[in-house]
Amino acid sequence: MINYRLFTALTSELAQGHLITFPGSALLLENQLRDNPLIAELVAQAEQGKLADTRFGCGPFSRITLLPLSVWQDSLTDSLLTHIRPLFAAPVCEDVLLDCSDIDDTVLAKTLRFLFNQAHKLTDLGLKTVGERGVTLRRVNAFCAGTDASRLERVFAQQQAIANGMVAARRLADIPSEQCTPQFVVEEAQRLCATVPNLRCEVLDESAIVEQGLGLLHAVGKGSSRPPRLLAIHYDGASSGPVRSYVGKGITFDTGGLWLKEGAGMYTMKYDMCGAANVLGLMLSIAELKLPVRVMGVLALAENAIGPNAMQPGSVARACNGMTVEINNTDAEGRLVLSDAIAWASKRHEQTRYIIDLATLTGAVVKALGYELSGLMTQDNTLRSALTVAGEQSGDEVWSLPLDARLKKQTESAIADLCNTPTNNAAISASAAWLLHHFCPAYIPWAHLDVSGTALWREGGKSVASGRPIPLLMQHLLNDLAVEE
């Protein structure tokens, strides 16, 4: 874990660190920097809109980076992160000093999460032979005005907790699916939750899944030699009150089943469990902040494999709420496991404030919204508004797509209550959400987040888990608790 400290003046404790600041900052007037002629050159370069960076003649620091003031206020295009991300591909200092004296709140939150997320690299999985480990970031220091210290302490604590949950989710999602099976996810969640107060795990194995009537989850998982699991993580930060529920799609590998994907389409399918991994990370973040609330996270875990028992196109399965679904496409399995998990979650507690599900569900949402925005589908206007605002505040934004009865024909079946994909291949993302809405009772506010574009970070032709939308969901929860107060 990467720690943090707040400073209102330069001290010897910050020597040999990496300073990131901007022209006009009060930091540059400190005695240690004021008379350094190199600073004037860096300021001039940054004022021209360029990154100014040096590791020469910048005592008492080992590295100084100056960025134009405009990027510290740019919450839309992430230009601050665009500038500093390459600097941390191979950091040269264990400490970074981030100038927080004139920075937009959303930019600060996103930057802090990026820095705290440096606690996880793919090489940490131990699967690649590497030479001597280089310098790693260990502390994030902040320079701020004394009057701002109390507010920033809360911001840093919240963003550190959010990032810690993201790191846990990313580590789990990055593990190859040969190891990261449904049972492995359960055991990893149990291990992580065992030492955290107020967190407890409830597990349904393949027998319990059948006994409790989760026929859709069973249908998806029965073709694999690695059987499905339903994992519920309960957080009891309050003795009473409504329960907030989050449901995550956990397809630990998706071949497409008998509706087989092509090879290139399977390459990133170990990440089809990012929704479930992020629900686990979210629960860890909530527990770390000791929030006074009751929360349940449900992970619907299965491997969509090919085998003699694999579900077949045209088969019909029954969910735990009694509804039947015609499976006309075995590669539309995520909505099946989510449907059962949503229905199960809706019955688990008498008083549910809302259910939010998150899933790498459709490639169509990427075509619609790209890689920066998560798709939001809900019929609850209050929940839609709250999630949209939380997305803007956290920098982990959503965009609302339509969800109403005009989609009804997309899920009609002649043999069952519903079919899992539209036969006309239209409105794929919204049609999936329309299917899902049948499994949450109308009296419980429900929203669906399609994070196919945002759950991965793509750079240099490679994809890794991003930990989104944990920041969005944490900000929404914090806002919701503030409303209750």
Side-chain angles (χ1 to χ4, degrees), residues 365 369 373-377 397-401 448-451:
V365 82
L369 301 177
L373 296 165
S374 297
L376 165 64
M377 283 146 275
E397 292 190 58
V398 297
W399 196 266
S400 185
L401 296 173
H448 165 61
L449 296 173
D450 193 332
V451 296

Side-chain angles (χ1 to χ4, degrees), residues 69-85:
L69 182 58
S70 59
V71 308
W72 298 78
Q73 301 296 323
D74 177 14
S75 61
L76 182 63
T77 66
D78 292 344
S79 52
L80 178 60
L81 283 179
T82 300
H83 280 96
I84 69 172
R85 188 180 294 275

Side-chain angles (χ1 to χ4, degrees), residues 277-354:
N278 289 333
V279 168
L280 169 60
L282 175 69
M283 299 300 292
L284 293 170
S285 294
I286 291 169
E288 182 175 340
L289 288 175
K290 299 180 174 60
L291 297 182
V293 66
R294 298 172 70 206
V295 183
M296 180 175 69
V298 180
L299 286 64
L301 303 164
E303 182 181 82
N304 189 22
I306 296 175
N309 296 320
M311 59 180 172
Q312 300 171 339
S315 58
V316 175
R318 187 180 299 275
C320 66
N321 71 343
M323 297 194 76
T324 56
V325 179
E326 178 188 2
I327 302 168
N328 56 0
N329 185 338
T330 65
D331 195 23
E333 82 300 325
R335 66 202 69 182
L336 297 176
V337 303
L338 279 176
S339 295
D340 250 343
I342 291 168
W344 186 89
S346 71
K347 297 188 294 183
R348 184 63 178 79
H349 293 284
E350 291 184 2
Q351 191 180 6
T352 301
R353 184 166 176 83
Y354 54 71

